[in-house]
Amino acid sequence: MTGPPRRASANRLGAYLRARRELVTPRQAGLPDAGGRRVPGLRREEVAMLAGISADYYLRLERGRDRHPSVAVLESLARVLRLDDDHFAHLLSLVAEAPRHRLPRPRAQTVPDGARKLLGSLVQPAFIESRYFDVLASNDLARAIDPHLAVGGNQLRDLFLDPSVRALYPEWANVTECFVASLRQAAGSDVDDPRFVELTGELSAASGRFRELWARHEVRGQRGTPLRIAHPEVGDLTVNRERLSIAGAEDLMLVVYHPDAGSADADKLARLVPVGAGA
């Protein structure tokens, strides 16, 4: 079994490049594939050739012997590795010089009073989450959708480790992929954060699915998207999941579930949640 990720990896740039090249097939890169490859994806020398750099220089990048490539080199690598804007931004963050004396983030985060009042006034299921998907506040409507969306819960831990939560989401594979990519984007290069180390270590040790997704180095922020829920009381339910930033509260997001107006999903939600429910 693969153990938890090491604290403060010494070569994050190299690990990212290696993971991303293993996801690009020769056909995608316009190269013939004669078979007989020992590793998936592109070879180092193929990446170097396509990016217009020497194989020796690319090898130094992957092995951490050169950690300051130019933007032009990074752009060439991003093209070969088929990185979108989110992945390229993450690549740049791995090269940028990190502050030498970063102050640790506080473990406890406080939800502003105004955000709590807004949460209590919403007629849709809603909750407030940290960048590591800890649930910091939720209303009755959210807990009627998923009882695990209670204060103190962690959505990642529940998704990967609790079979009852997995059963709620018919598209569980896609949901977990989205959450892990968003976690890596949220963490960026700040991988020494104690909460990050604790959470990724726990999930890596306990979940093969998490280890598989984490090894891909996917980076993607969560955007508004439909979410299917197999609710035990009202059956299949689809809501739109929106994440809204909270002014003055770094790393906190207000998440709102709302069905399409006049839809059967809206009717199901109305039956599920008692009128007048609040935070």
Side-chain angles (χ1 to χ4, degrees):
M1 177 181 293
T2 302
R6 292 181 180 180
R7 181 181 177 87
S9 172
N11 184 20
R12 293 192 291 270
L13 174 62
Y16 186 59
L17 292 174
R18 182 170 58 256
R20 297 312 301 179
R21 72 174 169 84
E22 290 179 352
L23 295 176
V24 180
T25 66
R27 176 174 294 182
Q28 288 173 322
L31 298 174
D33 185 5
R37 290 174 175 262
R38 293 180 299 173
V39 296
L42 298 177
R43 300 185 178 102
R44 293 189 183 95
E45 58 270 22
E46 291 170 337
V47 174
M49 177 190 68
L50 294 170
I53 60 178
S54 72
D56 179 67
Y57 180 55
Y58 180 77
L59 180 62
R60 294 204 306 271
L61 290 176
E62 270 207 10
R63 292 186 173 176
R65 297 202 298 264
D66 188 321
R67 305 191 183 192
H68 301 283
S70 69
V71 173
V73 166
L74 294 175
E75 288 176 340
S76 295
L77 291 173
R79 172 180 51 80
V80 174
L81 300 177
R82 305 170 66 87
L83 304 185
D84 59 19
D85 290 345
D86 286 341
H87 287 86
F88 182 58
H90 184 70
L91 177 63
L92 292 176
S93 76
L94 298 179
V95 175
E97 197 68 37
R100 293 183 179 273
H101 300 290
R102 180 185 293 138
L103 294 176
R105 290 176 179 267
R107 290 184 62 88
Q109 292 179 287
T110 302
V111 177
D113 289 341
R116 285 191 182 276
K117 292 177 182 178
L118 174 61
L119 180 67
S121 69
L122 292 175
V123 297
Q124 300 91 0
F127 56 95
I128 294 173
E129 66 183 16
S130 73
R131 68 172 182 162
Y132 295 138
F133 303 108
D134 295 311
V135 179
L136 304 180
S138 62
N139 62 15
D140 288 343
L141 312 180
R143 296 188 295 273
I145 291 284
D146 180 356
H148 295 83
L149 292 176
V151 174
N154 178 271
Q155 297 165 82
L156 275 166
R157 184 184 294 111
D158 291 336
L159 274 171
F160 285 101
L161 305 183
D162 192 323
S164 67
V165 174
R166 176 172 180 169
L168 280 175
Y169 300 102
E171 298 171 346
W172 180 82
N174 292 335
V175 173
T176 54
E177 183 177 352
C178 177
F179 268 75
V180 171
S182 183
L183 174 67
R184 191 175 282 280
Q185 184 190 59
S189 60
D190 190 14
V191 295
D192 292 331
D193 181 287
R195 179 66 182 132
F196 173 86
V197 173
E198 174 189 47
L199 182 60
T200 57
E202 176 188 2
L203 293 176
S204 293
S207 170
R209 171 64 175 171
F210 181 84
R211 291 195 300 274
E212 171 195 344
L213 293 175
W214 195 243
R216 295 181 189 175
H217 285 252
E218 289 284 352
V219 181
R220 185 173 61 254
Q222 288 195 3
R223 298 172 176 86
T225 184
L227 178 67
R228 285 184 58 205
I229 300 170
H231 198 277
E233 295 182 26
V234 297
D236 196 53
L237 174 69
T238 299
V239 294
N240 301 295
R241 189 181 194 275
E242 307 290 343
R243 298 178 81 232
L244 309 172
S245 59
I246 299 175
E250 184 183 7
D251 298 332
L252 300 190
M253 302 293 289
L254 173 66
V255 182
V256 181
Y257 292 168
H258 62 98
D260 290 342
S263 65
D265 296 307
D267 293 338
K268 290 179 181 179
L269 187 59
R271 297 200 309 270
L272 177 63
V273 181
V275 176

